[in-house]
Amino acid sequence: MISAGGVLGACSRHALGLAWPHRPDQFPWATLLINVSGCLLIGVLMVLISEVWSAHRLLRPFLGVGILGGYTTFSTYTTDVQQLVAAGAARTALLYLAGTLIAALAAVYLGITITRALAGVSARRKEK
């Protein structure tokens, strides 16, 4: 399940990278978008499968570790930082390094918070 999900996630990431390429001295917007959106989805998924749904035991490995693990790319993130520094764009590298970390953590928190709020609203509606 993990490898099947990983193929789907990695193919999605690769397609976004091809659609939005960058030179080594340019800000890697595609990688930032991939990692932040993946972290948002991980926050959503973890609430859904641990607090809302009675999920099948293979759902978390398939979606979380497989698809979202294959989709997010923190190894590319570190490579992008190295390339920016090597290209003489140290300030951009530092901005990208810190910005990705802050945005990714905020995205997980936002995904968790919004999903909990929406799930709470749905649960109250069902009770009425």
Side-chain angles (χ1 to χ4, degrees), residues 117 119-128:
V121 169
S122 297
R124 282 192 290 264
R125 285 186 185 159
K126 288 180 182 177
E127 292 174 359
K128 289 182 180 181

Side-chain angles (χ1 to χ4, degrees), residues 8-74:
L8 296 173
C11 287
S12 298
R13 171 178 34 92
H14 182 67
L16 278 172
L18 290 176
W20 201 353
H22 70 280
R23 292 189 324 254
D25 64 335
Q26 292 179 319
F27 195 90
W29 289 105
T31 307
L32 177 69
L33 173 71
I34 289 164
N35 286 332
V36 173
S37 64
C39 286
L40 177 80
L41 292 171
I42 286 169
V44 170
L45 177 67
M46 290 303 114
V47 170
L48 291 176
I49 65 174
S50 64
E51 298 176 20
V52 177
W53 300 336
S54 176
H56 187 277
R57 66 181 184 86
L58 295 178
L59 189 62
R60 183 181 199 160
F62 176 69
L63 294 175
V65 179
I67 290 179
L68 294 176
Y71 176 69
T72 55
T73 176
F74 283 90

Side-chain angles (χ1 to χ4, degrees), residues 90-114:
R91 286 184 185 166
T92 303
L94 186 58
L95 173 68
Y96 176 58
L97 185 68
T100 296
L101 179 60
I102 292 165
L105 290 172
V108 171
Y109 179 78
L110 185 65
I112 290 168
T113 303
I114 290 173

